[in-house]
Amino acid sequence: MTESMLDTVLSQFHQAADQLGLSDDHRETMTAFKTVFHTQFPVARDDGSFDIFEGYRVHHNVARGPAKGGIRYAPMVSLDEVKALAMLMTWKSAVVNIPFGGAKGGVIVDPATLSTNELRNLTRRFTTEMVPIIGPDSDIPAPDMGTNAQVMAWIMDTYSMARGYTVPGVVTGKPVSLGGSAGRQDATGRGLSYVLQEHLRDSGGVQGKRIAVQGFGNVGSVVAKLLQQEGALITYIADKDIALHNPAGVDAGAAAAYLAQGHSLPQWYEDQHPACDPVPLDSVLIADVDVIVPAAIEHVLTEENAGLVKAPLVLEGANGPTSQGADAIFKERGITVIPDILANAGGVTVSYFEWVQARQYVRWTEERVNEELRRLITSAYQTICARQQSSRGQATLRDAASWIGIERVVEATELRGIFP
Ligand code: NAD
């Protein structure tokens, strides 16, 4: 049977729990999900018909604060996947030490098959179903695959209609004109870039490093653009339809700017004739480069291709891109993995800044947002590195990040005790 993402996340947890010597009671608490919400709801189609859709919202652990996590619109959404992503969010918020617990949500739908009107209907109805469990003090959704700032604006408006007043703190990732934070759009990619700069600080920095980026959406296009600005050579970029290569560097900044006008990566290649060549999609992660950045979907690095990876460093942009088997192979081969719960935490970190701004009715400048992001994520990186080094090379960065995340959640859970 193939390993599901929940299998991976749970086995990563148990591996860290074994290393920490966590008690059975703590293991039971840490693997329990506080709320598992499942809904089936109708959505009116433009032609007057309707279809039933299925959605989930899961809160994992909320000992450290309100549940926080994205909402995904994708055909492969499943309850197991949502649970896995919610658990990752708990550890991620704890790793960067922001006062949130973990949540995730999703609707089984390919948003590309819906008109704008149908997408709004679906979002408003799903939000209405979720009204009892979301809120600025309880659960704060954000964008993920297939959702964006417009979807967040609809969620905010629908929730506000139910309450009778505007509640900007109920979601993050809103449009800036509705109280979204400056810098939120680029935050995950920017966080990845900061973490990589810090990791390579003593080995020449990112300047001249050859980097392959898989996925050219919100995360991949931004990290590619920002690393190019720092002097890296983005030798491969790819989305689900095309992979492009230039040993002297693909102009990722130009590609990102073209996509921002509503075009796709294949269209950029067709229309703009950039200096690069199409290569097979599966060549990107096994390319001869210094760093690979999986920034598309989960489980793209598995036992099948982990042995073929040539890069000495994996920077996890996506959530859960590496299976447990691939992780073991990387450890054996001395390939360093900067784990998702640290590397891509820039998104939730700036979401936290947006939530703080919404609750205080203040606006931070983009400079302040980026500066605070660099401070928090760099400090998290240094704490994790120090912890890894104290294990005398026995632990991976993922082990060390998991230990820190789990310990902080266990401590909060213990201090609060069991009610009543
Ligand atoms: P997105 O929908 O904006 O982009 C996804 C990209 O991946 C697209 O370019 C798509 O074509 C590409 N893709 C899909 N399948 C592929 C495949 N098999 N091979 C190559 N490319 C493929 O999504 P996103 O927001 O950029 O999220 C990407 C990943 O990062 C997800 O795992 C998400 O959970 C994670 N993540 C996102 C954020 C955020 O702030 N958006 C934060 C943390 C983690």
Side-chain angles (χ1 to χ4, degrees):
M1 216 178 74
T2 53
E3 179 183 321
S4 76
M5 198 182 168
L6 186 58
D7 295 334
T8 308
V9 170
L10 283 173
S11 52
Q12 283 166 356
F13 167 78
H14 284 296
Q15 183 172 314
D18 288 345
Q19 293 160 336
L20 288 171
L22 215 62
S23 71
D24 287 347
D25 284 355
H26 281 142
R27 282 175 200 253
E28 222 178 311
T29 317
M30 292 300 115
T31 51
F33 290 85
K34 180 183 180 294
T35 307
V36 177
F37 172 79
H38 174 206
T39 176
Q40 292 177 309
F41 57 96
V43 175
R45 294 285 199 175
D46 292 344
D47 65 5
S49 67
F50 72 91
D51 281 309
I52 301 289
F53 288 84
E54 198 159 359
Y56 305 96
R57 185 75 183 165
V58 169
H59 302 165
H60 171 230
N61 183 298
V62 295
R64 301 183 78 255
K68 184 89 188 79
I71 290 183
R72 195 174 263 203
Y73 288 172
M76 82 294 189
V77 162
S78 68
L79 179 56
D80 268 13
E81 183 193 71
V82 174
K83 282 174 137 180
L85 291 164
M87 188 180 260
L88 279 182
M89 286 304 297
T90 304
W91 313 140
K92 195 182 295 185
S93 295
V95 160
V96 282
N97 217 354
I98 55 178
F100 287 138
K104 204 78 182 189
V107 176
I108 305 171
V109 59
D110 178 357
T113 63
L114 302 181
S115 70
T116 303
N117 191 36
E118 291 168 343
L119 190 65
R120 187 175 49 233
N121 287 347
L122 178 139
T123 301
R124 285 197 182 283
R125 181 60 189 249
F126 182 51
T127 305
T128 304
E129 301 293 342
M130 288 192 300
V131 162
I133 61 160
I134 63 172
D137 290 312
S138 54
D139 173 6
I140 307 125
D144 196 80
M145 277 164 68
T147 56
N148 55 22
Q150 175 61 77
V151 172
M152 296 307 114
W154 289 328
I155 295 177
M156 192 272 258
D157 184 68
T158 307
Y159 184 84
S160 298
M161 290 299 119
R163 288 282 171 264
Y165 50 89
T166 300
V167 189
V170 68
V171 286
T172 58
K174 297 179 291 292
V176 174
S177 55
L178 274 183
S181 181
R184 173 62 184 88
Q185 187 79 18
D186 282 3
T188 305
R190 191 173 292 278
L192 283 159
S193 162
Y194 287 159
V195 168
L196 187 63
Q197 288 175 46
E198 188 62 18
H199 184 79
L200 296 175
R201 196 153 52 98
D202 298 331
S203 50
V206 298
Q207 176 83 31
K209 295 286 187 304
R210 297 162 307 147
I211 301 182
V213 180
Q214 183 201 52
F216 211 71
N218 186 22
V219 179
S221 68
V222 174
V223 69
K225 173 186 78 177
L226 294 177
L227 288 173
Q228 181 184 0
Q229 284 169 12
E230 295 296 325
L233 299 178
I234 312 302
T235 51
Y236 292 81
I237 60 173
D239 73 355
K240 66 181 184 350
D241 299 311
I242 195 168
L244 299 168
H245 172 230
N246 180 346
V250 182
D251 190 350
Y258 199 66
L259 263 67
Q261 296 166 25
H263 304 292
S264 67
L265 199 57
Q267 282 169 341
W268 180 64
Y269 178 71
E270 293 295 324
D271 300 348
Q272 303 292 306
H273 312 292
C276 52
D277 296 305
V279 288
L281 287 178
D282 58 7
S283 66
V284 176
L285 296 178
I286 56 170
D288 181 15
V289 292
D290 300 306
V291 188
I292 55 171
V293 187
I297 51 169
E298 52 257 29
H299 277 185
V300 289
L301 292 163
T302 62
E303 280 167 77
E304 268 88 76
N305 61 359
L308 304 172
V309 169
K310 296 184 195 67
L313 181 60
V314 181
L315 179 69
E316 291 190 335
N319 285 313
T322 309
S323 76
Q324 185 80 342
D327 235 2
I329 294 170
F330 289 152
K331 185 173 183 187
E332 176 79 30
R333 295 186 57 215
I335 293 175
T336 302
V337 179
I338 307 184
D340 46 8
I341 55 173
L342 165 67
N344 72 27
V348 73
T349 303
V350 175
S351 274
Y352 166 58
F353 299 158
E354 179 175 332
W355 181 74
V356 167
Q357 293 170 74
R359 312 218 65 187
Q360 298 180 347
Y361 295 94
V362 295
R363 289 292 173 94
W364 294 7
T365 62
E366 187 163 353
E367 290 68 37
R368 177 170 177 196
V369 168
N370 293 346
E371 199 179 300
E372 293 280 337
L373 169 60
R374 188 191 276 273
R375 193 175 60 76
L376 252 72
I377 207 158
T378 303
S379 146
Y381 170 84
Q382 285 162 349
T383 306
I384 288 163
C385 270
R387 190 69 184 272
Q388 187 224 9
Q389 278 153 17
S390 72
S391 80
R392 294 195 190 80
Q394 293 304 300
T396 61
L397 285 173
R398 192 189 313 280
D399 293 331
S402 300
W403 296 346
I404 288 167
I406 293 166
E407 280 173 350
R408 286 178 177 161
V409 179
V410 166
E411 185 186 350
T413 306
E414 275 214 327
L415 284 168
R416 291 179 65 155
I418 297 175
F419 178 83

